[in-house]
Amino acid sequence: MRVLVTGGAGYIGSHTVLALLEQEHIPVVVDNLSNSSIESLNRVSEITGKPIEFHNIDLCDEHAFHSFMREQSFDAILHFAGFKAVGESVANPLKYYKNNIGSTVSLLKAINASTSTSPPKVIFSSSATVYGSSTELPLTETSKTGDGITNPYGYTKFVCERILTDTVAANPAFQAIALRYFNPIGAHESGRIGEDPAGIPDNLAPFITQVASGKLSELSVFGDDYDTADGTGIRDYIHVMDVAEGHVAALGVSEPGFHAINLGTGQGTTVFELLTAFEAVVGSPIPYAVTPRRPGDIAECYADTSLAKKLLGWSSTRDISKACADAWRWQSQNPQGY
């Protein structure tokens, strides 16, 4: 398949481009590089031995993007483009609403403007944050969404899913899949591509690896008084290459309409358990300090993955130890990122 990958130079996007190439698909990347590096794609080419077509375009620039789309034909579109830092979204919500929702609307307008009777399927990079404060565990695709979302980033994912649902309802030939990731961690096993956050990481795994490398002084553990085995929050951590392969598997879904599908492991891991797993890989203690809970954080969140197995024929294959080892290899070999 010829596949457009928006935001393909980012963390999950670049790993998915690699997975596409490994399965003989033809990815075409559109990214404005505002929060990513072209070096990630250079390294994907190095790993696979294959060139990657790249276009530096902002999806929110409708004139530029729609001109590009009029000259192209794709079998599918993987839509990763968007900002993803939860803390930044709270501090600057308008930036997130304009970019994340605007880029999705721009993409769908470009598809609607096409004269093709068979529009490309859209596979959207969504998030478990759409489940908000739902206490149902494990979380299934029918669990309530929208209520109790605590940050603008999460709301943009929820709104984009709604936009995709309404677009499908208006055009029965259109197909959209929202892949709801839980907590992607790790890196490609080569150590050549990985997560490269700007500033202090919002996510736990890169925070741990940067402390282990000495780039940051200590890890902040937000609360150790939850009703869990060791008092810390439980999350479903999934290897980024499993997430990437989930996207490739989603290309094979043929049923029209809108489908929301969880991508997780189905297993919960506490903060201290993840920290211990990293310490085993690093070979030394990683300093941390317990700080107060963050507003809006919940005690537990993990996926029911049965629908992914049924519709995609996919399930995660890499465990926490593998994810930690790959993340540490990336951090050790690339202490300053790209």
Side-chain angles (χ1 to χ4, degrees), residues 19-310:
L20 288 166
L21 289 169
E22 288 180 335
Q23 295 300 314
E24 305 300 327
H25 296 291
I26 304 170
V28 176
V29 174
V30 166
D31 198 309
N32 67 2
L33 302 178
S34 64
N35 195 30
S36 58
S37 171
I38 191 64
E39 180 61 19
S40 66
L41 296 179
N42 292 338
R43 295 188 184 187
V44 170
S45 287
E46 171 195 302
I47 293 166
T48 62
K50 298 176 181 178
I52 298 167
E53 183 179 339
F54 171 77
H55 300 268
N56 189 332
I57 302 172
D58 186 338
L59 267 69
C60 291
D61 182 346
E62 290 194 3
H63 175 74
F65 179 64
H66 291 193
S67 295
F68 163 78
M69 288 293 285
R70 282 194 292 270
E71 300 172 352
Q72 303 287 331
S73 177
F74 299 104
D75 300 298
I77 299 172
L78 305 186
H79 181 34
F80 297 99
F83 297 137
K84 65 172 188 175
V86 169
E88 183 187 43
S89 79
V90 173
N92 196 348
L94 295 182
K95 174 182 178 181
Y96 274 66
Y97 286 117
K98 179 181 180 181
N99 184 75
N100 292 9
I101 296 173
S103 63
T104 301
V105 170
S106 175
L107 174 65
L108 295 175
K109 286 173 68 176
I111 294 171
N112 283 344
S114 169
T115 58
S116 172
T117 57
S118 179
K121 72 178 69 178
V122 173
I123 299 172
F124 173 60
S125 172
S126 192
S127 166
T129 56
V130 300
Y131 293 116
S133 58
S134 176
T135 56
E136 180 181 342
L137 288 174
L139 288 162
T140 73
E141 290 79 2
T142 57
S143 298
K144 190 171 182 60
T145 59
D147 289 351
I149 297 174
T150 58
N151 57 79
Y153 162 76
Y155 273 116
T156 66
K157 295 299 185 182
F158 174 73
V159 171
C160 286
E161 284 198 14
R162 185 72 252 176
I163 292 169
L164 288 168
T165 302
D166 292 342
T167 302
V168 165
N171 183 357
F174 188 75
Q175 182 189 15
I177 298 171
L179 296 180
R180 295 172 177 169
Y181 320 148
F182 277 67
N183 295 75
I185 64 172
H188 187 257
E189 62 184 6
S190 66
R192 297 294 289 154
I193 60 171
E195 188 168 9
D196 184 21
I200 296 176
D202 258 9
N203 297 327
L204 179 60
F207 202 138
I208 292 175
T209 59
Q210 290 192 16
V211 172
S213 70
K215 189 174 182 179
L216 297 174
S217 59
E218 67 179 12
L219 171 70
S220 296
V221 176
F222 297 108
D224 65 351
D225 57 351
Y226 289 102
D227 186 19
T228 62
D230 59 24
T232 62
I234 292 175
R235 298 294 183 268
D236 188 338
Y237 298 100
I238 177 171
H239 197 293
V240 65
M241 285 306 301
D242 281 330
V243 173
E245 290 164 4
H247 286 80
V248 178
L251 294 175
V253 177
S254 58
E255 295 88 347
F258 175 80
H259 305 275
I261 304 173
N262 289 338
L263 291 187
T265 67
Q267 302 293 319
T269 301
T270 71
V271 172
F272 283 154
E273 286 171 343
L274 187 64
L275 180 62
T276 299
F278 267 110
E279 288 177 334
V281 168
V282 173
S284 61
I286 297 172
Y288 70 89
V290 176
T291 61
R293 297 185 187 187
R294 290 179 298 192
D297 274 356
I298 58 177
E300 296 183 70
C301 178
Y302 55 91
D304 180 308
T305 61
S306 56
L307 187 61
K309 294 175 184 175
K310 177 182 177 182

Side-chain angles (χ1 to χ4, degrees), residues 307-321:
L307 187 61
K309 294 175 184 175
K310 177 182 177 182
L311 288 185
L312 309 183
W314 169 94
S315 59
S316 62
T317 61
R318 300 164 178 87
D319 62 16
I320 288 293
S321 295

